[in-house]
Amino acid sequence: MSNINDITGQTFGRLTALYRIGTQRYPSGGRLSIWRCKCQCGNEVNVTLSALKTGNTKSCGCLHTDLTRALNYKHGESHTRLNEVWKRMKQRCKNPNVREYQWYGKEGVSVCKEWDESFECFKEWMLANGYDESAKRGICTIDRIDPCGNYEPENCRVVSMEVQLRNTRRCHNADNDRYARKTACN
């Protein structure tokens, strides 16, 4: 083997060439030099010299996995309690297939644009306004001050479920009839 094609020890992306395995011949007469390479993650793979030099192969496959994970990573809190609160709030206002939609979205209640588009923004507001991630369920809930208003910073607060249950449309009825439900907030 000539020194021109000796790439032992050279690094291509995440791959370092260990040794030449041999040559693969094609029926058309072409030949490809095959190299054993070690990836930064520890895996070893066989790669053609041309794939290494052109940059078509940069890892054992872990680079693609890492890049995909990085592109899909948003906040790492997809299954936290607060993220579930955020998702349910949006569903009540936007999804007609959700049972609670009839009392929220159908009545015209919506979520402000900044909260609708960003969990991080919603979380920041909740934490700044008294939400405690370690509190028991029902202690820190999001409540609309005006039950006919939208989910937005000016109309929301963090309160216990007990306080929230006293702040319903039926409790805000003009006749003070606790059990009468307003049909519309408009």
Side-chain angles (χ1 to χ4, degrees), residues 44-83:
E44 290 188 10
V45 291
N46 297 334
V47 185
T48 64
L49 176 64
S50 63
L52 290 170
K53 286 192 170 186
T54 60
N56 287 341
T57 303
K58 298 177 183 176
S59 74
C60 67
C62 66
L63 178 60
H64 175 74
T65 302
D66 290 350
L67 289 174
T68 301
R69 186 178 296 127
L71 287 172
N72 290 321
Y73 183 84
K74 290 186 178 178
H75 44 69
E77 298 189 42
S78 296
H79 302 289
T80 62
R81 193 163 78 184
L82 187 55
N83 190 262

Side-chain angles (χ1 to χ4, degrees), residues 21-37:
I21 293 176
T23 303
Q24 182 177 352
R25 297 184 189 275
Y26 290 100
S28 62
R31 294 182 288 169
L32 289 173
S33 180
I34 310 294
W35 282 80
R36 185 70 172 178
C37 297

Side-chain angles (χ1 to χ4, degrees), residues 25-180:
R25 297 184 189 275
Y26 290 100
S28 62
R31 294 182 288 169
L32 289 173
S33 180
I34 310 294
W35 282 80
R36 185 70 172 178
C37 297
K38 185 166 188 162
C39 187
Q40 287 177 357
C41 72
N43 289 335
E44 290 188 10
V45 291
N46 297 334
V47 185
T48 64
L49 176 64
S50 63
L52 290 170
K53 286 192 170 186
T54 60
N56 287 341
T57 303
K58 298 177 183 176
S59 74
C60 67
C62 66
L63 178 60
H64 175 74
T65 302
D66 290 350
L67 289 174
T68 301
R69 186 178 296 127
L71 287 172
N72 290 321
Y73 183 84
K74 290 186 178 178
H75 44 69
E77 298 189 42
S78 296
H79 302 289
T80 62
R81 193 163 78 184
L82 187 55
N83 190 262
E84 291 300 317
V85 168
W86 177 68
K87 288 190 281 191
R88 285 194 311 266
M89 171 185 69
K90 293 183 0 169
Q91 286 202 341
R92 286 191 295 268
C93 296
K94 297 168 77 172
N95 186 349
N97 298 319
V98 174
R99 184 177 57 90
E100 295 86 358
Y101 177 81
Q102 64 185 321
W103 300 298
Y104 295 86
K106 190 173 180 180
E107 292 289 329
V109 177
S110 65
V111 178
C112 69
K113 185 177 179 180
E114 64 180 336
W115 286 359
D116 187 37
E117 294 176 353
S118 170
F119 168 71
E120 293 88 348
C121 187
F122 174 74
K123 177 184 177 183
E124 183 179 318
W125 184 89
M126 288 289 284
L127 292 174
N129 286 277
Y131 182 79
D132 180 2
E133 295 172 317
S134 62
K136 288 178 147 181
R137 289 193 184 274
I139 300 299
C140 293
T141 64
I142 187 164
D143 178 51
R144 290 173 296 130
I145 298 165
D146 173 2
C148 296
N150 297 323
Y151 283 103
E152 54 194 358
E154 304 80 32
N155 189 44
C156 289
R157 61 186 174 178
V158 177
V159 296
S160 69
M161 186 59 77
E162 183 181 331
V163 171
Q164 189 178 123
L165 289 173
R166 286 193 305 257
N167 185 32
T168 61
R169 289 181 196 153
R170 67 185 130 193
C171 294
H172 284 268
N173 189 325
D175 298 330
N176 283 328
D177 179 3
R178 267 184 78 89
Y179 302 102

